Amino acid sequence: TCFGGSDGSITISSPQGGHGTYEYSVNGGGSWQSSGSFTGLTPGNYNVQIRDAAYPLCVKILNNSLSITQPAVLNAVVTPTMVTCNGANDGIINITGATGGYGTYEYTIDGGTNWQASGLFTGLAPESYDVRIRDAANMGCVIILNPSLTITEPAALNAVVTKTDITCFGANDGTITISLPVGGYGTYEYSIGSGWQSSGSFAGLTPNNYDVRMRDKAHQACEKVFDPVTINEPAILSATVSSTNVTCKGANDGTITITNPQGGYGTYQYSINGGTTWSGLGSFTNLAPNTYNVRIRDAAHPACVIILNSGLVITEPAVLNADVTKTNVTCNGANDGTITITNTQGGYGTYEYTINGGASWQSSGVFTSLSPGFYNVQMRDAAYPLCVKILNGSLQITEPAVLN
């Protein structure tokens, strides 16, 4: 029944003739027995004879070369397919190309507990399997094809997901990076919701929620779904810009002040020269009259720049000036001299005057009832009292000699 077995048999039945009692031999008379049943035979050619038990020399050769054969050894090709994805339990054992025996077969992967006519076993969990084949016509004829065929599963897919938010309002430069992949069968593809790619680097992203995944490139149904990633963009940069012009011709004390910064990532730098230099303070002082390009940038993302005012003009007033006239005392001891300041110019248009070097000031340019003496005549910008113009630092009021 099976290659290498010794279960062949020869049966001699319905003997006739002679004196009615018989003996039998399958080795050409080398040995005899009263039964016509010979079992446990190995493959070979047998000389089958019968003789009259009462007259042993009366022998009949029934078949001098009866062949007991054996089938070819059972064999087959065993092809395993490992589990495609951690926890999938989709391993396969496929037994094909069976040969030997008597041409019909059954198969088992549990050491013979269960048999089936098909050599295809699917839905297998990672485990060790005892794979065997048997002759369906002679079920005791079993060959172990692999006593310990191991179906494995890969490690679970995983990776590190990082992101960078958009640096500047409207920049659309967010990124998602999927790195340090592990698990599966070692080659990977990545997606953030719009197709797959072999690189885990995604750039130029707009603000949105992204569906981040990786999959085993060799088994594309095996996916790892990560938590959704949100790419944020900051609010647009803005601030309030105020300025003060130069108070006095040549003073170079103009100011630009940038306050209430908003947007970006919360830390800011400022420039008034178009970005050539930057300061963490929004206060710029001692400015000369000029046109200033005022900007703000996100300190965390210096390329994120907003022009607040590209042409902020700091002006200075014209120089203070006026005409000074006087009248001397008319008569010795009269004390009726006068100083008059007219044709005032420059500054911001409102003025004050002094003839005592700034000890006291008045809004009128007319000074009367003056006694003889030297007077320090000055004018100042009423809006900026520190802006002073000396018109005549030593204007003399005289009086005539006494009449006699």
Side-chain angles (χ1 to χ4, degrees), residues 180-305:
L180 303 178
V182 296
Y185 287 91
T187 57
Y188 309 99
E189 292 181 323
Y190 310 91
S191 174
I192 57 172
S194 56
W196 294 88
Q197 64 182 47
S198 58
S199 168
S201 179
F202 297 84
L205 302 182
T206 59
N208 210 338
N209 292 321
Y210 291 89
D211 179 13
V212 181
R213 302 182 178 214
M214 69 180 291
R215 72 183 181 187
D216 190 323
K217 188 174 182 180
H219 299 282
Q220 296 183 354
C222 185
E223 291 186 13
K224 165 72 174 179
V225 180
F226 297 95
D227 291 335
V229 173
T230 300
I231 297 293
N232 304 297
E233 82 174 340
I236 191 168
L237 291 173
S238 65
T240 301
V241 179
S242 59
S243 65
T244 62
N245 291 317
V246 173
T247 59
C248 194
K249 176 75 176 182
N252 293 344
D253 61 353
T255 68
I256 295 175
T257 304
I258 307 168
T259 58
N260 193 30
Q262 298 180 24
Y265 287 92
T267 57
Y268 309 97
Q269 291 178 326
Y270 311 92
S271 174
I272 59 171
N273 56 14
T276 302
T277 58
W278 294 88
S279 169
L281 300 176
S283 179
F284 298 86
T285 59
N286 299 321
L287 302 181
N290 207 339
T291 298
Y292 293 87
N293 186 335
V294 184
R295 303 185 179 195
I296 181 175
R297 75 179 180 186
D298 190 323
H301 298 282
C304 185
V305 178

Side-chain angles (χ1 to χ4, degrees), residues 295-364:
R295 303 185 179 195
I296 181 175
R297 75 179 180 186
D298 190 323
H301 298 282
C304 185
V305 178
I306 289 292
I307 299 173
L308 299 172
N309 190 328
S310 62
L312 175 59
V313 178
I314 297 292
T315 63
E316 70 177 351
V319 66
L320 292 173
N321 206 359
D323 295 331
V324 179
T325 58
K326 71 169 183 173
T327 61
N328 291 317
V329 173
T330 59
C331 187
N332 187 278
N335 295 338
D336 60 354
T338 67
I339 295 174
T340 303
I341 306 169
T342 58
N343 295 326
T344 52
Q345 302 174 39
Y348 287 91
T350 59
Y351 310 100
E352 291 179 328
Y353 311 92
T354 182
I355 58 172
N356 57 13
S360 61
W361 296 85
Q362 66 181 44
S363 59
S364 170

